[in-house]
Amino acid sequence: MEFIRYRVEDAATGEFLDEFATNAADFAAERIGRIRKYRPDLVVTETPDND
């Protein structure tokens, strides 16, 4: 099963906000959406997580 690691940062300040791995894109979108309600300007980095 292939997972994607998501790292979420505030684009304006570079502040680290969250990091998680999942194989469910809809879960990732929901989790990132909850953060985006409070910090609308995000940078999300997606990388393969094969550990």
Side-chain angles (χ1 to χ4, degrees):
M1 189 173 285
E2 293 191 25
F3 285 79
I4 302 293
R5 177 158 299 279
Y6 296 86
R7 180 175 175 87
V8 183
E9 299 174 344
D10 186 297
T13 65
E15 179 183 359
F16 168 80
L17 300 173
D18 195 9
E19 186 169 10
F20 61 95
T22 185
N23 65 343
D26 56 336
F27 170 78
E30 182 180 323
R31 186 164 172 166
I32 293 166
R34 285 195 304 262
I35 298 169
R36 199 175 298 277
K37 285 196 312 190
Y38 302 99
R39 302 271 187 108
D41 194 16
L42 299 179
V43 172
V44 179
T45 306
E46 300 178 18
T47 56
D49 187 32
N50 299 324
D51 293 337

